[in-house]
Amino acid sequence: MEKKKNIIYITGTDTVGVEEEVSRIEYFFRERQSVDNIHRYHLSTLSDMRSLEQETSSMGLFVEKRLFVFRGAIESDARKKKSGEKEEGLLRIVEGVDDDTFLIFAIAWGWPLIWWLEQHADVRRYGSIDDASLWQKRWSDLDGQTISK
C-alpha cells in the first residue's frame, strides 16, 4: 500500500530534531497558506473527538489546504494493546483525511495509531546525535550575535 504524503509521523529520541522538523513544516505551510489554516493540538487536552473529526473532514469556502499538528502522548493500556476513545477518533481521522488536509503527528505513544502511522504515513525519524559534526551542521546559522539579541 502506498504511503500517504499528507500524513507525516515525526518521531525519535532527538526531541530537538523532532521539534525542528515540525517547525520547518509549519513555516513552509505558513509561507504558502494562511496562518489561520494551521491548527495545533496536544493529545492530553483533547476531549471532544467528534468535533475534531468534523473539523478535519470539513473544508471552508476559501480554504485551499489545512494543517493539523498533533503533539504529546495518548494514554492507553499498552499491555492489552487496547485503544481508547482518542485513538479510535484519531484513527478515523487519518483513515478518512482528504488530500488537501495535512496531518503532522509528533507523538510519543498510542499503540494502534502508531502502528497505523508506521504503515501508512511518511515517517521521519530523528535519533540522538552523537556525532559532533552533525551538531555543527544543525547550529551553523547560530552565532554569538544571534543568541545575544
Side-chain angles (χ1 to χ4, degrees):
M1 174 176 271
E2 186 176 326
K3 295 198 175 216
K4 295 187 174 196
K5 296 188 185 305
N6 61 324
I7 301 175
I8 301 171
Y9 172 42
I10 305 169
T11 187
T13 56
D14 178 12
T15 56
V16 173
V18 170
E19 287 303 315
E20 282 181 347
E21 182 67 4
V22 171
S23 296
R24 188 182 68 78
I25 293 169
E26 286 181 345
Y27 172 79
F28 286 122
F29 194 87
R30 197 171 36 252
E31 291 290 309
R32 291 164 181 79
Q33 303 292 321
S34 169
V35 71
D36 296 333
N37 296 349
I38 299 175
H39 309 276
R40 296 173 187 90
Y41 297 95
H42 197 281
L43 296 174
S44 64
T45 60
L46 282 179
S47 58
D48 188 1
M49 292 308 296
R50 293 279 179 219
S51 294
L52 183 60
E53 288 178 58
Q54 289 174 349
E55 185 177 355
T56 57
S57 65
S58 63
M59 192 66 88
L61 279 176
F62 302 106
V63 175
E64 288 185 33
K65 298 186 184 297
R66 295 174 308 152
L67 174 66
F68 291 86
V69 180
F70 298 96
R71 285 187 168 95
I74 300 174
E75 298 158 8
S76 63
D77 190 342
R79 294 178 305 263
K80 295 180 182 175
K81 296 183 178 173
K82 181 180 176 184
S83 61
E85 180 184 341
K86 286 182 187 179
E87 278 184 288
E88 290 171 5
L90 287 168
L91 282 168
R92 285 191 297 271
I93 288 169
V94 296
E95 290 171 348
V97 70
D98 63 54
D99 291 341
D100 290 329
T101 301
F102 292 82
L103 305 176
I104 307 296
F105 289 90
I107 60 177
W109 185 250
W111 189 81
L113 178 62
I114 298 285
W115 181 86
W116 191 96
L117 292 169
E118 291 278 352
Q119 303 299 313
H120 302 285
D122 174 7
V123 179
R124 301 177 187 185
R125 295 188 195 289
Y126 289 86
S128 63
I129 296 182
D130 296 326
D131 183 358
S133 66
L134 294 175
W135 279 104
Q136 291 169 353
K137 289 177 190 172
R138 176 179 283 172
W139 300 112
S140 61
D141 306 356
L142 239 45
D143 60 9
Q145 290 177 338
T146 305
I147 294 170
S148 63
K149 288 182 182 177

